Amino acid sequence: MRGTTVITGADGYLGRRLAAALLDDGDDELILAVRAASAAELADKQQRLARELGPDAVGRTRCVAVDVRHDDLLADVDPGVVTRIVHAAAVTRFNVERDLADAVNVAGTVRLRDFADRCAHLRRFALLSTLYAAGSRQGDIAEEPSVPTGFVNHYEWSKWAAEEHLLDAADRLPVSVLRLPTIIADDDSGRVTQYNVFHNTLKLFHYGLLSLLPGDERTPLSLATAAFTVSAVTRLLDPAVADGVYHVCPGPERTPALGELVDTAFTVFARDAGFRRRGLLRPVPCDRESFDDLLQAATGLSAGPLHQSLASVSPFAAQLYLPKTFRNEALRAAWPGYAAPDPHALTEAVCTRLVASKWGRRPEETS
Ligand SMILES: NC(=O)c1ccc[n+]([C@@H]2O[C@H](COP(=O)([O-])OP(=O)(O)OC[C@H]3O[C@@H](n4cnc5c(N)ncnc54)[C@H](OP(=O)(O)O)[C@@H]3O)[C@@H](O)[C@H]2O)c1
């Protein structure tokens, strides 16, 4: 039966890829909810999405302006036709301020949930969350509601709080919480179009701006591609799949340790003549206190590349001292096509491209 899927954050990194995947998978009409402060911004975002989604989108997509901070969100969408909601909109910076995280990530999810309560034919409400909704917990983390013991930044806290608000409604709504890992590339080719703490930390190492390695080298780091993530989410949006909490990530056997990732990165860096000329050594692991001292010293530096990069790394660094393993049995059982990327091959491909493109400063070759 043809349904209607609402995607919030539809022009975000994952939102637009998900929209493309859902155009390919089934025949739902898609309501693409984007944040737009004016008619001109909406028209601009609409055009960009139309270009990206191509002819398949014609007649099957509608762009609407939605700011999840506003109570009347989706006012021009008939709740009676909506069969699925994918809530991808969020402020995704790890250094997001608490008030903003609360207003967008938490209260915004509650507003979406209130809209969902009016959708009589809703068959799935999926929240894109993060594995780090587990906060400061260590050890095995199961696909179930989190019982956190604290958080290292407001982003994590806000995603956990959003999960809680949705899971509270699981007795009346078909809620799925899809916890995502760190996405380091678009696909197995290693192409990077969204830069995050992973890429920024490697940049500091490559240019010799950071000689300390924050974290315990044994800490597992769950990494994936957008292609893997979007395929998994598409599968989990199928109303035939049970709702619930899913870790949309590779299993423990495909989750490398921090130290292994650094080794892979330095093997790739060593192939670069410029890197070899700098004669840099692999960074030395440091304890939490020493890294905090470094951050303290860096706050005195005026805004520049080092300051900016450290600002991106620091709100996540504490997680590198809190080893945890994310179980994904529910994902595997629900997704017969499950095939996680090889983390070492992926890291090697990503590092190779980062070095070649100088972290996006040199245009990527088209392939
Ligand atoms: N990518 C990852 O590695 C990753 C990992 C774990 C979890 N996730 C989760 O996956 C989801 C999608 O992530 P992403 O990487 O696609 O993020 P993204 O590229 O930053 O996209 C976020 C989207 O949310 C929109 N948004 C922000 N504030 C809004 C507001 N007040 N009202 C309505 N829309 C608003 C943004 O619009 P503007 O650009 O106009 O602000 C953008 O379209 C997020 O919920 C994130 O927490 C992502």
Side-chain angles (χ1 to χ4, degrees):
M1 193 192 69
R2 188 169 186 203
T4 297
T5 300
V6 174
I7 306 175
T8 68
D11 62 334
Y13 179 71
L14 289 175
R16 51 186 201 270
R17 285 171 173 75
L18 206 50
L22 293 181
L23 286 173
D24 269 354
D25 183 82
D27 57 1
D28 268 19
E29 186 193 351
L30 304 185
I31 296 186
L32 306 175
V34 299
R35 192 197 52 74
S38 64
E41 193 180 359
L42 178 62
D44 184 47
K45 287 191 166 190
Q46 196 165 3
Q47 270 170 22
R48 269 191 278 151
L49 274 171
R51 258 200 314 275
E52 188 150 333
L53 298 175
D56 288 355
V58 179
R60 277 185 62 196
T61 57
R62 178 154 75 96
C63 227
V64 297
V66 165
D67 189 322
V68 298
R69 289 170 298 183
H70 299 161
D71 280 337
D72 60 346
L73 84 185
L74 293 167
D76 48 1
V77 173
D78 173 6
V81 303
V82 174
T83 48
R84 298 189 296 188
I85 297 172
V86 192
H87 184 30
V91 179
T92 56
R93 284 184 288 117
F94 288 153
N95 60 352
V96 62
E97 304 73 14
R98 185 166 172 116
D99 285 356
L100 185 60
D102 195 11
V104 177
N105 299 359
V106 187
T109 301
V110 172
R111 290 193 181 91
L112 251 292
R113 185 199 65 190
D114 293 346
F115 175 80
D117 275 327
R118 294 191 278 123
C119 300
H121 303 293
L122 191 69
R123 300 180 69 200
R124 176 68 18 105
F125 184 154
L127 169 72
L128 300 195
S129 187
T130 165
L131 294 177
Y132 293 101
S136 305
R137 281 175 59 201
Q138 300 186 44
D140 264 16
I141 311 289
E143 292 162 289
E144 59 188 26
S146 277
V147 187
T149 53
F151 299 94
V152 313
N153 56 51
H154 301 314
Y155 171 73
E156 288 179 2
W157 160 78
S158 67
K159 297 302 279 188
W160 165 79
E163 286 190 5
E164 290 291 289
H165 283 294
L166 263 198
L167 290 167
D168 277 353
D171 54 347
R172 62 176 197 275
L173 290 174
V175 168
S176 280
V177 167
L178 311 182
R179 296 188 184 135
L180 313 186
T182 306
I183 296 174
I184 62 165
D186 296 356
D187 51 37
D188 291 343
S189 75
R191 193 158 80 121
V192 180
T193 53
Q194 188 193 54
Y195 288 80
N196 58 33
V197 63
F198 178 86
H199 313 99
N200 293 338
T201 309
L202 291 176
K203 186 177 179 181
L204 291 174
F205 291 151
H206 186 263
Y207 289 105
L209 295 170
L210 185 60
S211 52
L212 295 180
L213 174 63
D216 177 337
E217 295 215 64
R218 292 161 304 178
T219 299
L221 281 183
S222 189
L223 308 174
T225 61
F228 168 86
T229 308
V230 166
S231 300
V233 171
T234 303
R235 170 69 189 154
L236 298 171
L237 282 174
D238 184 338
V241 173
D243 52 23
V245 179
Y246 291 91
H247 287 169
V248 179
C249 64
E253 76 294 346
R254 288 224 150 180
T255 304
L258 172 63
E260 294 168 357
L261 288 171
V262 173
D263 288 340
T264 303
F266 273 72
T267 303
V268 175
F269 292 172
R271 294 180 198 142
D272 176 52
F275 179 79
R276 285 199 304 275
R277 266 199 311 277
R278 292 193 282 281
L280 297 168
L281 298 175
R282 186 185 186 282
V284 185
C286 71
D287 59 26
R288 179 87 188 265
E289 220 176 11
S290 310
F291 191 67
D292 287 345
D293 284 348
L294 171 71
L295 293 177
Q296 198 61 37
T299 51
L301 299 173
S302 57
L306 174 59
H307 187 266
Q308 273 171 20
S309 299
L310 272 178
S312 139
V313 173
S314 61
F316 183 74
Q319 273 297 351
L320 302 175
Y321 295 95
L322 301 167
K324 38 185 145 314
T325 301
F326 297 100
R327 311 299 315 183
N328 73 345
E329 285 80 1
L331 173 76
R332 287 164 186 249
W335 187 21
Y338 169 85
D342 172 341
H344 296 291
L346 179 60
T347 303
E348 186 172 342
V350 168
C351 290
T352 304
R353 287 205 177 224
L354 289 175
V355 172
S357 72
K358 294 189 184 290
W359 274 257
R361 280 186 289 128
R362 216 186 251 166
E364 275 266 3
E365 78 285 10
T366 43
S367 56

